[in-house]
Amino acid sequence: MTLILQIKSLAFSFLYGIFFAFTYKYNYRFLTSKNLFFKIIVSFFFVIDHILLYFVLISKINNGILHLYFFFMFVLGIIFYVYLFDSNKQNKID
């Protein structure tokens, strides 16, 4: 894999981590429901949809080659979103 392709894949993984954290914030509303069956179904489809979407998009970028450091960039994107963009965290600081 070329260096440019690795940089594109790393940037995509980072941005997808931000997207995942953003959508998880809105999915959390469904997880606070009282119906246990509904929670399980929503969680299952949320995770499956994100896994499939990530793999389809990464296969468009680099033919579906996954490396461990892509996962680290994904987690770093989630951490970046939580600490910089999450409004609940900003309200607690103020």
Side-chain angles (χ1 to χ4, degrees):
M1 186 180 326
T2 64
L3 181 62
I4 299 298
L5 195 56
Q6 286 184 357
I7 291 171
K8 286 180 184 178
S9 300
L10 287 171
F12 169 74
S13 295
F14 180 76
L15 293 174
Y16 196 81
I18 293 172
F19 172 71
F20 179 81
F22 176 75
T23 56
Y24 179 78
K25 180 181 175 182
Y26 291 103
N27 185 49
Y28 188 74
R29 292 183 202 168
F30 297 112
L31 296 179
T32 57
S33 171
K34 293 183 181 180
N35 188 351
L36 180 63
F37 181 72
F38 183 69
K39 286 182 192 180
I40 292 170
I41 294 297
V42 167
S43 297
F44 176 75
F45 283 114
F46 178 76
V47 170
I48 293 297
D49 287 342
H50 274 285
I51 290 171
L52 291 174
L53 182 62
Y54 179 79
F55 188 72
V56 165
L57 293 175
I58 203 76
S59 65
K60 296 287 184 188
I61 295 172
N62 68 0
N63 296 326
I65 299 171
L66 296 175
H67 293 285
L68 187 59
Y69 49 86
F70 294 163
F71 176 71
F72 291 137
M73 287 302 288
F74 175 77
V75 172
L76 189 63
I78 293 172
I79 292 169
F80 181 78
Y81 176 82
V82 168
Y83 282 111
L84 292 180
F85 295 118
D86 193 13
S87 62
N88 294 332
K89 183 103 174 147
Q90 290 175 356
N91 291 337
K92 290 177 186 176
I93 292 173
D94 293 336

